[in-house]
Amino acid sequence: MDELRKRAKELLEAGTVKVVIGYENGTAGRTRALFAEEPKAAEKLIFDSRCIMNLASYITKAEVKAKGKMAIAATLPVMRAIIQLASEFQVSDNNLLVLGITPESTMIEFKDIAEVEAFVHKYEIEIEAKYSEKLEKLNKMTPSERWNFWIEELSPCFKCYACRAACPMCYCHKCTVEFNQPQWIPVPSHDLGNLEWHMMRAIHLAGRCVDCDACYNACPLGIPLNLLTKRMLIDAKEHFGGYQPSIKADHLMSTYKPDDKDNFIM
Amino acid sequence: MSKIGVFVCHCGENIGATVDCARVAETSGKLDGVAYSVDYKYMCSDPGQSLIKSAIAEKGLTGVVVAACSPRMHEPTFRKACAEAGLNPYMCEMANLREHVSWVHEKGEATTEKAIDLVRILVEKVKYNQSLNAIKVPVTKTALVIGGGIAGIQASLDIANTGHKVILIEKDPSIGGHMSQLSETFPTLDCSQCILTPRMVEVAQHPNITLYSYAELESIEGFIGNFKAKIRRKSKSLDEKLCTGCGLCTTKCPVKKIPSEFNEGLGMRTAIYVPFPQAVPNKPVIDREHCTYYLKGKCRICEKVCPTQAIRFDQKDTIEEVEIGAIVLATGFSVKQPDFFPEYGYGKYPDVITGLQFERLASASGPTLGEIRRPSDSKVPQNIVFVACAGSRDEAKGIPYCSKICCMYIAKHAMLYQHKVHGGKSYVFYMDIRAGGKNYEEFVRRAIEEDGVNYVRGRVSRIYEKNGKLIVKGVDTLLGAMPVDIEADMVVLATAGVANNDAEALAQKLHVSYDAYKFFAEAHPKLKPVETNTAGIFLAGACQAPRDIPESVSMASGAAVKVACLFSQDELTRDPLIAVVNRMAPPVYSSCVGCFLCVSACPYQAIEKEEIKNRAGEVIKTLARVNPGLCQGCGTCVAFCRTKSIDLQGYTHEQMYTEVMALLNEY
């Protein structure tokens, strides 16, 4: 990724952007986010198969935005998140420059988010076979079996909210779980509280989730949270014509069209 | 500390016979925060309301729960009573013990328990109720009438005569609707056009009516008193100001073989045409689908012959934006289409026609100038069969309802036939004769007794052709289901009246509810027959259900009065039960993150962006803001908001939560 390092350095030197967000080597062989504000820091930028964290979760943070115009090294899921965030008025061309990393690991610098969208739309969001199998198995369960499956899976959750922190779509200043007048979602990590938290989070991602798996990768307990969001992607395809992030603010779940299917209404 | 009063109504026997109202009152009285509880036979009566008023005064109540019927009817009654006693009306809530309890459950312990539960949750809710003030909005005193049939014409004239402005839009080139196609009308046999056309002219000349023919509703936004409509005025390819209506173009147009819609396909028209001689406005339009110029780029004969150079081939549709305060829907109905009756051979045999086609044959302005001649060879039919309920009252065909007008028009048709074809024989196959209405039964008897029409009670199973005759196979159920075969020269089907094809789309555009058959739904089948569930939108005529002329006219006048009532006030008072985006102290300002998903979810376009600026005028934050004039309080945005930044006044998160918890907790 010499290309990326070179371009990041140029952008910082020219002052086009104030910060370049990318990946750098962390401890114990892991990678972590790099916020390069000096041209020299750009040399630390890396990109390899370990770089799976969704960096788009940083571009909505007030402390990062405060630095000034940002550039971001964006893989396909990150680009998808950027488009979705743009449609929700959270980022714009004014404060973000996208240095795209293609699936072939080459760099494309995009003029604007509209160009990012044109590029991203070449790729459909596809559920990997290993997940399809699991989802199919879950689908075949009776409702009570599925209930038990999730109670079991979610029971170790101790609500560290790493899933929320890693998710680029969880950018609200005040999360529903922090809404305490009244406290709709119980805070304690008992089975029901855990279930309610994860159900609520999944529903809030309906028609917005870009399938980056960041929640699953961030979970210290390896809870397969992405099964919930993948299921919704399938449902979105079956009932609402499929999800593809778009900067147009016609969101999948909030936009009514006369030819929408209504077969889910009894 | 709350002091809540609980008032349990027996609704006579309606609730009292099923629910132990005394126990509901007694148990409620022991709940935390309840200062007074009582049951009474009729809480909505004057003494009942006095009970509430005096309790508010004497006990100093801070909230009221009336456990009675649906809030739909009496919530305003009780809120008014509370207001009169000095309590904010929005501190009053209603538990529905009638529709939700006594009418749906049997008498018993569990039923009374459910009634207590419903009261309990509202007692908890009322503790979180806040005093609210009604919202006042101005009224635009112009009405939009959609549809220029007899109902739309009558509604327009009545509204216009009260001194208010009316915009009448009609999708066809002329107003008049189905009534203009009819020959004579029952039960008096007066000529339809003779009574209709003066009204049509009155519309055109009325100073308060703006008529847009060949126009359709493009979109609508806003709410009662304050709608904004976009009207698509389809291009007529004509400068109407220059056109004198001389009709030269229609005589010279070379495309002459287009089945005339007005004559139900029994006559032909040209590509540039006026639907019928008495049309209002009496100016032609070019049918671009058939015009040679639009199809092949050549011709322009009409342009050459026009003495005033009024033809405009390059004219485009225009969108007219209008502000209106009320809407009358008078879009009428259609008749079931031919492919519906394979067993009756409609479309296969030219002499099997619909009732509406018979109207054109019998009409003096029709293709045969009023002589009954069959379409195939123009011979006068000596034997004619009328089939009632062709589609109607047939569950297998998906139309279980009675189309209502057919019994009467069949009697009229048969009568007209007998008057015009002396010595002819007419037969009517019917299921029942439904002639309810002033002078209706007498009219049918006249057809049978004086004009000698043969009524056969039974259904027709099949119609087929044999030796140039149409064989109508039926049974006479009054003669023990004896098979009856009639050799007819012509058959007239009384096809079912159905909703227009685009009725569903229009209803969705206007947010008006509709029934399973796509007829627009009235707000109450008995007490609100011309209102819809959407405030400010009214119904007239056959768009609500099949209607005859007298009914359509009465409905239209009814709807006009409703519009006039609305326009009699300068301001409308609306419930303040609307959504509000929260505000917090700086630097947060609101928990709203400005994703504006609510904007796309709002069905009323009531949410806008609000910029919070610092003293230097820089934008610090962009939030959602609900326009209180537009919000209808549906709560869709509340459900959509991930940060729970929107609350619905009167149904806040806090109130909903406390209701749920009250239900889950023991008492």
Side-chain angles (χ1 to χ4, degrees):
Chain A
M1 279 276 108
D2 287 341
E3 212 181 346
L4 178 66
R5 275 190 285 272
K6 188 169 153 257
R7 186 66 190 135
K9 203 171 167 191
E10 281 170 14
L11 287 168
L12 288 168
E13 272 167 355
T16 320
V17 300
K18 297 291 176 203
V19 58
V20 177
I21 308 168
Y23 301 95
E24 68 170 328
N25 275 311
T27 52
R30 288 180 297 222
T31 61
R32 65 184 174 206
L34 169 74
F35 300 88
E37 292 176 70
E38 301 297 329
K40 201 169 163 23
E43 285 163 19
K44 286 194 260 177
L45 276 170
I46 58 154
F47 183 76
D48 56 38
S49 62
R50 295 171 300 155
C51 302
I52 50 171
M53 181 205 313
N54 195 326
L55 295 176
S57 60
Y58 293 106
I59 58 176
T60 52
K61 298 265 185 286
E63 56 272 35
V64 181
K65 273 184 175 171
K67 292 181 195 296
K69 184 153 183 172
M70 305 170 279
I72 184 167
T75 55
L76 201 52
V78 177
M79 286 191 260
R80 286 190 179 120
I82 289 167
I83 296 163
Q84 182 65 33
L85 289 170
S87 80
E88 296 177 16
F89 307 96
Q90 302 303 314
V91 291
S92 70
D93 293 324
N94 294 332
N95 70 349
L96 189 71
L97 180 77
V98 181
L99 303 173
I101 300 171
T102 66
E104 295 77 33
S105 291
T106 55
M107 195 197 83
I108 312 180
E109 183 175 337
F110 293 104
K111 193 169 89 258
D112 53 24
I113 298 175
E115 262 191 25
V116 179
E117 177 175 308
F119 176 78
V120 165
H121 281 196
K122 291 181 202 158
Y123 304 88
E124 284 285 318
I125 298 182
E126 275 167 26
I127 312 274
E128 292 167 63
K130 60 173 179 179
Y131 287 116
S132 317
E133 278 167 32
K134 276 189 196 165
L135 288 166
E136 194 48 38
K137 220 170 109 187
L138 266 172
N139 221 19
K140 284 192 179 130
M141 288 182 183
T142 63
S144 68
E145 280 170 348
R146 211 177 304 134
W147 174 266
N148 292 336
F149 169 86
W150 280 112
I151 288 283
E152 183 108 333
E153 284 289 343
L154 297 174
S155 71
C157 171
F158 50 88
K159 291 209 177 140
C160 65
Y161 300 132
C163 46
R164 185 179 72 181
C167 177
M169 291 307 137
C170 276
Y171 56 80
C172 300
H173 313 318
K174 190 176 175 185
C175 176
T176 304
V177 77
E178 280 141 11
F179 182 85
N180 56 8
Q181 277 182 321
Q183 185 79 48
W184 282 113
I185 309 294
V187 187
S189 2
H190 47 59
D191 283 354
L192 206 59
N194 288 348
L195 191 79
E196 284 186 47
W197 156 247
H198 288 291
M199 253 174 13
M200 180 276 290
R201 215 186 77 83
I203 291 296
H204 281 186
L205 288 167
R208 303 172 65 238
C209 172
V210 295
D211 195 33
C212 67
D213 296 335
C215 50
Y216 169 63
N217 292 331
C219 181
L221 298 160
I223 301 172
L225 297 170
N226 50 353
L227 285 180
L228 291 171
T229 49
K230 285 178 200 291
R231 176 76 241 164
M232 290 194 307
L233 276 168
I234 296 172
D235 287 345
K237 193 160 199 169
E238 284 173 2
H239 299 295
F240 300 95
Y243 171 71
Q244 178 71 274
S246 159
I247 40 181
K248 275 188 296 193
D250 53 352
H251 299 284
L252 199 63
M253 299 302 292
S254 62
T255 312
Y256 165 78
K257 296 190 194 81
D259 56 348
D260 276 347
K261 288 183 190 174
D262 53 11
N263 51 356
F264 55 91
I265 301 170
M266 297 292 279
Chain B
M1 183 64 193
S2 306
K3 285 189 196 169
I4 293 159
V6 177
F7 300 86
V8 185
C9 178
H10 292 245
C11 197
E13 290 278 287
N14 272 310
I15 299 170
T18 316
V19 175
D20 184 349
C21 293
R23 214 184 103 212
V24 175
E26 191 199 329
T27 314
S28 311
K30 293 177 194 153
L31 296 172
D32 270 357
V34 175
Y36 182 70
S37 71
V38 67
D39 61 304
Y40 187 71
K41 200 98 182 154
Y42 290 105
M43 209 54 92
C44 60
S45 68
D46 205 39
Q49 290 186 49
S50 300
L51 209 60
I52 300 174
K53 288 186 208 169
S54 57
I56 293 171
E58 287 161 21
K59 311 277 175 191
L61 298 181
T62 58
V64 165
V65 174
V66 183
C69 50
S70 157
R72 237 195 123 71
M73 176 97 181
H74 278 309
E75 194 175 65
T77 311
F78 294 118
R79 287 201 162 151
K80 193 162 155 268
C82 288
E84 282 168 10
L87 185 70
N88 184 288
Y90 300 96
M91 300 305 285
C92 170
E93 295 284 347
M94 280 187 81
N96 188 351
L97 299 196
R98 196 177 67 185
E99 282 86 341
H100 289 181
V101 185
S102 65
W103 279 0
V104 288
H105 299 301
E106 286 170 8
K107 186 176 180 167
E109 184 63 16
T111 303
T112 299
E113 280 298 323
K114 181 176 172 183
I116 293 170
D117 280 345
L118 292 186
V119 173
R120 245 165 20 87
I121 60 175
L122 282 178
V123 165
E124 291 308 313
K125 184 190 179 192
V126 169
K127 290 179 187 171
Y128 286 92
N129 274 28
Q130 285 170 337
S131 294
L132 300 171
N133 294 316
I135 298 168
K136 292 212 187 290
V137 283
V139 179
T140 308
K141 296 184 181 181
T142 301
L144 174 69
V145 178
I146 305 175
I150 182 59
I153 288 171
Q154 184 68 37
S156 300
L157 287 173
D158 285 347
I159 299 167
N161 285 337
T162 64
H164 297 298
K165 298 282 180 199
V166 177
I167 296 166
L168 171 61
I169 62 171
E170 164 58 48
K171 70 175 185 335
D172 287 337
S174 170
I175 57 170
H178 280 126
M179 187 173 169
S180 64
Q181 293 177 285
L182 306 183
S183 52
E184 272 74 33
T185 55
F186 59 79
T188 44
L189 290 189
D190 43 353
C191 153
S192 184
Q193 289 212 341
C194 310
I195 55 175
L196 175 68
T197 46
R199 294 280 170 101
M200 290 163 59
V201 174
E202 208 182 329
V203 165
Q205 293 175 347
H206 204 294
N208 284 342
I209 301 178
T210 309
L211 169 63
Y212 293 142
S213 61
Y214 217 43
E216 287 178 46
L217 182 72
E218 181 80 3
S219 67
I220 185 105
E221 53 185 72
F223 55 96
I224 180 169
N226 297 273
F227 294 105
K228 281 199 181 95
K230 283 188 183 157
I231 295 164
R232 175 177 291 276
R233 298 187 65 190
K234 293 179 281 187
S235 166
K236 296 181 176 178
S237 310
L238 182 83
D239 185 331
E240 283 182 272
K241 288 201 184 86
L242 293 180
C243 175
T244 58
C246 70
L248 196 57
C249 51
T250 61
T251 58
K252 301 290 182 194
C253 179
V255 190
K256 295 187 192 298
K257 294 280 181 193
I258 307 164
S260 152
E261 293 85 359
F262 179 74
N263 280 325
E264 291 293 320
L266 294 179
M268 297 297 167
R269 64 161 171 87
T270 45
I272 182 163
Y273 71 109
V274 177
F276 53 102
Q278 299 88 339
V280 170
N282 196 0
K283 292 180 181 178
V285 299
I286 298 182
D287 167 5
R288 293 189 177 185
E289 277 178 28
H290 292 98
C291 169
T292 314
Y293 175 69
Y294 287 104
L295 293 176
K296 295 176 185 155
K298 275 187 200 158
C299 183
R300 302 178 84 122
I301 289 176
C302 48
E303 192 182 40
K304 280 172 209 129
V305 301
C306 178
T308 58
Q309 283 84 45
I311 304 293
R312 297 284 179 272
F313 285 109
D314 55 355
Q315 196 180 54
K316 297 218 162 44
D317 290 5
T318 52
I319 302 286
E320 199 92 28
E321 284 188 42
V322 293
E323 293 193 359
I324 46 182
I327 299 169
V328 177
L329 272 175
T331 50
F333 73 113
S334 296
V335 289
K336 200 70 195 169
Q337 286 311 299
D339 52 351
F340 199 60
F341 314 102
E343 67 273 35
Y344 291 166
Y346 187 102
K348 194 168 156 196
Y349 311 124
D351 295 329
V352 178
I353 63 170
T354 66
L356 211 45
Q357 287 178 317
F358 188 86
E359 294 284 353
R360 296 311 305 144
L361 289 183
S363 169
S365 71
T368 57
L369 303 175
E371 286 181 38
I372 310 291
R373 291 182 178 279
R374 60 186 205 173
S376 61
D377 53 10
S378 292
K379 279 190 187 150
V380 176
Q382 294 307 314
N383 285 298
I384 187 165
V385 172
F386 296 92
V387 181
C389 298
S392 314
R393 300 179 67 196
D394 190 345
E395 260 181 87
K397 294 270 189 206
I399 305 180
Y401 61 82
C402 164
S403 292
K404 199 172 181 183
I405 53 176
C406 327
C407 284
M408 292 308 298
Y409 77 62
I410 282 181
K412 177 189 77 181
H413 286 173
M415 214 183 252
L416 289 175
Y417 171 79
Q418 293 296 357
H419 293 178
K420 294 186 182 212
V421 183
H422 299 286
K425 275 197 161 171
S426 59
Y427 301 86
V428 173
F429 280 92
Y430 70 100
M431 285 163 77
D432 301 288
I433 301 172
R434 298 191 164 171
K438 191 169 179 174
N439 294 328
Y440 282 14
E441 177 62 19
E442 296 93 315
F443 184 76
V444 176
R445 294 316 306 173
R446 200 174 122 199
I448 299 170
E449 288 161 17
E450 289 177 28
D451 293 315
V453 181
N454 299 297
Y455 269 69
V456 184
R457 188 180 183 279
R459 300 196 75 168
V460 172
S461 61
R462 231 184 112 205
I463 296 168
Y464 60 95
E465 211 172 32
K466 197 176 163 188
N467 304 330
K469 293 274 184 190
L470 290 164
I471 311 297
V472 181
K473 284 186 86 70
V475 287
D476 190 335
T477 55
L478 296 181
L479 292 175
M482 191 175 79
V484 181
D485 285 8
I486 291 166
E487 287 188 4
D489 299 314
M490 187 156 102
V491 176
V492 181
L493 305 177
T495 45
V498 294
N500 288 328
N501 275 337
D502 57 356
E504 191 174 16
L506 182 63
Q508 289 176 351
K509 210 178 262 180
L510 291 158
H511 304 294
V512 165
S513 35
Y514 48 93
D515 65 20
Y517 313 109
K518 316 282 190 271
F519 285 114
F520 302 142
E522 63 279 12
H524 189 286
K526 284 157 259 174
L527 299 178
K528 289 185 176 176
V530 300
E531 289 97 326
T532 64
N533 273 327
T534 306
I537 303 185
F538 305 98
L539 300 175
C543 60
Q544 181 246 8
R547 295 255 174 258
D548 60 19
I549 297 166
E551 283 179 325
S552 296
V553 171
S554 322
M555 251 187 115
S557 291
V561 169
K562 295 288 172 187
V563 173
C565 287
L566 179 63
F567 289 176
S568 67
Q569 308 151 53
D570 293 325
E571 271 187 335
L572 275 177
T573 309
R574 295 185 55 222
D575 267 344
L577 306 177
I578 54 160
V580 177
V581 179
N582 70 18
R583 292 304 285 268
M584 293 170 173
V588 186
Y589 301 99
S590 166
S591 61
C592 169
V593 287
C595 72
F596 300 110
L597 248 63
C598 50
V599 172
S600 52
C602 177
Y604 305 100
Q605 291 88 39
I607 306 182
E608 53 207 27
K609 292 182 185 179
E610 181 183 24
E611 289 179 340
I612 307 227
K613 292 175 180 164
N614 62 12
R615 287 185 189 186
E618 297 156 20
V619 177
I620 312 170
K621 194 166 180 178
T622 311
L623 307 177
R625 181 183 171 273
V626 180
N627 181 328
L630 295 173
C631 177
Q632 299 292 302
C634 71
T636 308
C637 56
V638 178
F640 252 94
C641 184
R642 301 189 301 279
T643 52
K644 307 223 176 293
S645 305
I646 314 182
D647 238 340
L648 190 58
Q649 291 192 143
Y651 298 89
T652 61
H653 281 289
E654 205 113 67
Q655 288 173 311
M656 294 297 104
Y657 185 81
T658 198
E659 281 193 43
V660 174
M661 293 314 282
L663 206 53
L664 296 175
N665 290 339
E666 294 289 317
Y667 64 98

